[in-house]
Amino acid sequence: MTDTALEDLYGYPADRTWVTANFVSSVDGAVTVDGRSAGLGSPADKRIYLLGRDLADVVLVGAGTVLAEGYRGARPDVARRGRLGLAPALPIAVVTARGSLTPGLPLFTDTAVPPIVVTTARAELPELPADVVVAGEEEVDLAVAVRELAARGLRRINLEGGPKLFGAMLAAGLVDELNLTVAPVLAAGDAGRIAHGPGGVPADLELRSVLRADDVLLLRYRRRDSR
């Protein structure tokens, strides 16, 4: 498919807050190989991953994923974002309830725009070059986090993980859409699933599109009861 066709297919609804999760999984459900999602990657998955960033206002990610994957500032396609009427910069919003971030991380030292740190009143954070949002006392209130992002004009939210944050967002009813790449791999091992948490009422999904790139499947689901 052309870039324009993919932009239309994966684009966000206009004039509303919308959370799209992006994950890759092996056929047997593993979310990582040797502790990182890169082991499941492919050119097709990377194309959709980068598209997800280019179409969003903000990337939302958990601190554990930032540390495990070595996150740096986002480098979106500025020309494409300009053509689509989006701001050239793409901030990364990191959720941390315990204050596990330090100012020397690449997320803070190698970025074109300061990150957003979503945390709690009880967290003991060092001084960070970031926009710090307090959303909750001891645990991050994710509904407050989403509202705070929307209040900053960041309504197209691209959720990149990890599984614990995704599970919590699902439990709070805050995920509208899931882009899932199924890698043609049987990983076995002890890797977790794309969502991890206490569970609850299963979300009823509608399959919106299926793309195939050689042996890789690119699936797009939407919650039937989404906002």
Side-chain angles (χ1 to χ4, degrees), residues 60-190:
L60 182 63
V61 63
T65 299
V66 166
L67 297 173
E69 303 280 352
Y71 263 58
R72 300 175 183 273
R75 292 175 173 79
D77 185 330
V78 175
R80 171 150 63 186
R81 291 176 66 81
R83 175 167 52 80
L84 296 173
L86 300 174
L90 177 65
I92 293 180
V94 186
V95 176
T96 176
R98 304 288 176 255
S100 56
L101 303 174
T102 59
L105 291 171
L107 179 71
F108 301 109
T109 63
D110 187 9
T111 181
V113 59
I116 300 167
V117 174
V118 183
T119 189
T120 64
R122 297 290 181 88
E124 297 182 359
L125 283 172
E127 190 72 24
L128 296 173
D131 177 7
V132 177
V133 176
V134 176
E137 287 294 320
E138 296 186 2
E139 298 295 332
V140 174
D141 186 326
L142 294 169
V144 172
V146 169
R147 289 199 298 270
E148 287 290 336
L149 292 176
R152 288 162 169 76
L154 308 175
R155 304 180 70 179
R156 300 175 179 90
I157 301 172
N158 181 44
L159 173 61
E160 291 186 355
K164 184 177 179 180
L165 177 58
F166 183 33
M169 291 283 287
L170 285 174
L174 296 171
V175 178
D176 300 291
E177 200 160 82
L178 168 64
N179 299 330
L180 176 64
T181 299
V182 180
V185 174
L186 289 171
D190 58 359

Side-chain angles (χ1 to χ4, degrees), residues 192-208:
R193 305 188 308 177
I194 64 171
H196 175 75
V201 179
D204 188 18
L205 303 179
E206 176 187 7
L207 181 62
R208 303 286 290 185

